[in-house]
Amino acid sequence: MGPRLASFSELWLFKAAATGEMHIHLADICSKYGGSNSAGLVRVGPNELISSDPDVGRHMSATKVKRRKGQWYASMKVDPYVDNIFSQLDPVKHDKLRACMSQAFLMKENPHLSLKIDGSIASFVNLIQRKYLSTSENARPIDLGLVSQYFSLDVITAIAFGAPLGYLDNDQDLFGYVKTTDAILPFVTLCSSSPSLGWFMSQAWVTNLVGPSPQDKTGQGVLMALAQKYVGERYGSDSDDKQDMVSLFLRNGMSRRQVESEILAQMSSMFCTSFAGSDTTSTAVRSIFLFIISNPRVYALLQAEIDDRIRNKRISSPITDDEARDMPYLQACIQEGLRIWPPFTGMMFKQVNPGGEVIKGTFVPGGTAVDANFEYKGHCGWGMQRGPEFGNDVEVFRPERWIEANQDQRKIMDRTVDIVFGSGRWACLGKAIVRAELNKVFVELLRRFDMSVVDPSKPWDSKNYTVFVQNKMWVRITERKSFG
Ligand code: HEM
């Protein structure tokens, strides 16, 4: 059940990762070989299986079993000496860390989170108005791929450090962060796609030798230095009345080194870096925008919904999260966008219990007492969002499928799309924050501006390295006459 090469070597994984289209290769083999057993399991390496069945994904992440993460996660270590929540393989230590951190991600309990998202959206709007409004006399295209990344970077630095670093205000890749991380992502993905190479790269002496350092002048290292400086200042201060993630982590008793490591890992998880492998939020913003503005029917219906809400004074400016949740077509566009282009396609291997276990009717043997010999069960994120519960036209962006579905069907579809954020013990802590960003950003931009893709024959450059590296998404923006 799987490509022959994968049964005795990691070369299959390595080759798939090198193409920059690993998500497609994984989905293809799941559809080719997955029918051979009830769990849709397909071999991708000597000890590694994946499946595109959402039930299997949920089974492997269930909280009731104290399962270890696979070695794949170890390559997400940022600080060579301190594990962060992603790289911590031990479920007991992970749970302890998660308990200290989770409060900082709750939207209702932390109203400042919403304000920080609003602040960055205002900077996004302001940047477009200052520099990127086209007229019939003046063409001023914007690389919406790059600017979406500036948006995610500003939101997360505002949440982590209390104020945004100012990517949008400066309209600049500060510290060459985006350029550097885009350049190293293919290399890191190659390493993490091979469990043995991933293990080698996670060793402290290797990370020290080739990993980023606070002494660096560009890239991840600069943010490492900033995180250290910021957390250091907060540790030294007697009174801490700041409203940010660092404050909450410190109040919950996390050590200084642990907070530094987490702050950096959260950044990694959100914006195109090599570790948790991410760019997730910016990919969600870009891809949903692209699918909306290049589908005239969808675009017109969404703008009509926005205009209707404005006319009937049912949304504020900026829109609140609750108001956006009450817009069915907007919600359908977001769900359909996350489905058709899941922003994170990492395999997220979890270990099968040592004694072996039955996964959705299929017995999977465990390994010996040595970690590296356990069977790993991973996740085919792209294939999972193309299952039969979505109908026969799964490659088409059609938000209407969410409106047409009856209550039971909609529940199944929502559960499957939710897996883009993981599930159970390791479910994404930032999910509510991302949802709020998505709920606001499309409404705030589309109520003010009209957008069109400059070159529909080549809308963007997009490569997959567990997360997507996407740029050159040139868009023409004009002011909407009817904005209210
Ligand atoms: C569209 C954007 C995002 C997607 C698709 C996404 C997806 C994921 C996935 C798939 C996981 C791993 C699940 C597993 O290991 O089984 C994860 C974990 C995590 N994410 Fe996100 N994420 C996004 C944005 C964010 C943001 C904005 C934050 C922070 C504000 C964040 C914080 C975290 C944290 C802390 C974890 C670790 C949870 C744990 O291991 O207990 N994520 N995310």
Side-chain angles (χ1 to χ4, degrees):
M1 51 168 178
R4 221 177 74 76
L5 183 60
S7 62
F8 59 88
S9 141
E10 290 170 359
L11 258 182
W12 187 89
L13 277 173
F14 208 70
K15 272 176 62 187
T19 62
E21 297 212 319
M22 190 169 190
H23 58 307
I24 306 282
H25 292 287
L26 295 177
D28 281 352
I29 60 161
C30 281
S31 115
K32 187 166 173 192
Y33 301 102
S36 64
N37 59 82
S38 53
L41 292 165
V42 173
R43 189 176 285 281
V44 288
N47 295 306
E48 292 79 27
L49 303 169
I50 60 163
S51 170
S52 60
D53 183 330
D55 288 340
V56 177
R58 282 188 286 265
H59 171 98
M60 294 306 288
S61 293
T63 38
K64 58 181 188 296
V65 185
K66 286 243 181 294
R67 196 186 291 291
R68 276 176 76 88
K69 281 175 166 176
Q71 196 61 41
W72 184 84
Y73 284 91
S75 52
M76 296 186 190
K77 210 164 180 174
V78 185
D79 181 327
Y81 303 102
V82 186
D83 269 305
N84 61 62
I85 191 163
F86 297 101
S87 66
Q88 180 53 262
L89 309 186
D90 181 309
V92 177
K93 290 186 185 156
H94 166 271
D95 290 0
K96 223 169 129 192
L97 196 51
R98 187 172 166 106
C100 291
M101 290 173 61
S102 45
Q103 200 197 342
F105 294 85
L106 303 174
M107 291 293 290
K108 291 256 182 302
E109 285 73 355
N110 300 293
H112 66 97
L113 292 175
S114 210
L115 296 176
K116 280 166 184 153
I117 297 171
D118 289 345
S120 296
I121 291 180
S123 300
F124 203 159
V125 168
N126 187 273
L127 173 63
I128 294 174
Q129 285 168 335
R130 268 189 298 125
K131 285 183 71 177
Y132 295 112
L133 277 183
S134 288
T135 60
S136 43
E137 290 83 39
N138 243 329
R140 294 167 135 189
I142 180 173
D143 180 354
L144 201 59
L146 185 61
V147 176
S148 300
Q149 191 142 13
Y150 291 169
F151 167 64
S152 335
L153 280 161
D154 271 349
V155 173
I156 194 56
T157 47
I159 288 173
F161 299 146
L165 280 186
Y167 279 84
L168 288 165
D169 288 348
N170 291 287
D171 190 18
Q172 204 186 332
D173 177 13
L174 302 173
F175 321 118
Y177 181 80
V178 176
K179 193 168 161 222
T180 319
T181 50
D182 279 5
I184 59 173
L185 253 176
F187 169 72
V188 175
T189 307
L190 277 182
C191 293
S192 65
S193 66
S194 149
S196 359
L197 199 54
W199 172 85
F200 174 73
M201 292 304 294
S202 71
Q203 301 307 296
W205 67 272
V206 182
T207 319
N208 261 337
L209 204 66
V210 298
S213 135
Q215 274 75 47
D216 293 348
K217 294 281 172 279
T218 56
Q220 180 88 15
V222 180
L223 284 190
M224 258 175 144
L226 276 176
Q228 281 178 356
K229 181 168 172 283
Y230 190 71
V231 178
E233 283 167 7
R234 305 290 290 283
Y235 252 81
S237 109
D238 294 337
S239 65
D240 184 7
D241 54 0
K242 287 236 167 76
Q243 294 246 309
D244 59 22
M245 208 166 246
V246 171
S247 250
L248 283 154
F249 287 174
L250 295 180
R251 263 181 249 153
N252 283 333
M254 286 167 67
S255 73
R256 174 175 170 170
R257 280 301 289 280
Q258 189 70 62
V259 175
E260 284 168 9
S261 173
E262 287 310 332
I263 289 296
L264 216 59
Q266 305 320 305
M267 290 183 181
S268 307
S269 78
M270 285 160 260
F271 332 111
C272 191
T273 82
S274 45
F275 300 98
S278 63
D279 202 14
T280 48
T281 305
S282 20
T283 287
V285 172
R286 293 171 188 134
S287 52
I288 297 174
F289 259 129
L290 181 61
F291 279 93
I292 291 171
I293 66 177
S294 52
N295 276 282
R297 184 196 76 263
V298 174
Y299 193 178
L301 284 170
L302 180 59
Q303 250 176 4
E305 185 176 68
I306 296 170
D307 291 355
D308 175 71
R309 299 286 153 142
I310 295 171
R311 210 174 305 114
N312 292 304
K313 302 200 179 353
R314 290 178 63 189
I315 58 175
S316 332
S317 187
I319 189 168
T320 67
D321 198 26
D322 285 343
E323 287 165 349
R325 280 170 198 270
D326 191 33
M327 293 176 65
Y329 201 71
L330 170 70
Q331 293 308 317
C333 288
I334 294 174
Q335 290 301 78
E336 183 70 348
L338 291 171
R339 182 194 74 77
I340 204 155
W341 206 278
F344 183 81
T345 59
M347 288 174 287
M348 303 192 281
F349 289 113
K350 311 286 176 350
Q351 289 186 3
V352 172
N353 280 331
E357 58 186 295
V358 176
I359 301 178
K360 210 178 174 183
T362 299
F363 179 74
V364 180
T368 68
V370 187
D371 272 7
N373 288 339
F374 287 168
E375 297 268 358
Y376 295 119
K377 158 65 196 70
H379 191 95
C380 172
W382 197 261
M384 237 172 237
Q385 301 304 332
R386 280 149 174 78
E389 63 270 45
F390 296 110
N392 299 323
D393 55 351
V394 291
E395 294 301 341
V396 179
F397 179 77
R398 200 173 63 81
E400 286 75 9
R401 77 179 79 245
W402 298 85
I403 314 266
E404 291 159 4
N406 65 31
Q407 221 179 358
D408 292 344
Q409 188 59 24
R410 172 78 195 237
K411 216 164 143 190
I412 296 172
M413 289 160 64
D414 281 330
R415 278 191 88 206
T416 300
V417 161
D418 216 37
I419 292 194
V420 303
F421 295 103
S423 64
R425 163 164 282 112
W426 300 283
C428 175
L429 278 175
K431 187 165 72 176
I433 297 176
V434 181
R435 289 265 179 207
E437 287 180 62
L438 300 180
N439 279 341
K440 288 163 182 268
V441 72
F442 304 113
V443 172
E444 288 309 308
L445 263 62
L446 294 178
R447 74 197 289 176
R448 292 175 168 85
F449 309 119
D450 279 321
M451 299 187 181
S452 56
V453 176
V454 170
D455 181 358
S457 72
K458 199 170 191 318
W460 61 11
D461 276 359
S462 175
K463 285 273 176 208
N464 176 269
Y465 298 107
T466 298
V467 293
F468 290 89
V469 173
Q470 293 165 319
N471 46 42
K472 299 197 183 126
M473 181 179 160
W474 293 106
V475 170
R476 179 176 188 271
I477 301 187
T478 53
E479 199 148 25
R480 281 192 77 196
K481 301 277 177 295
S482 57
F483 165 60

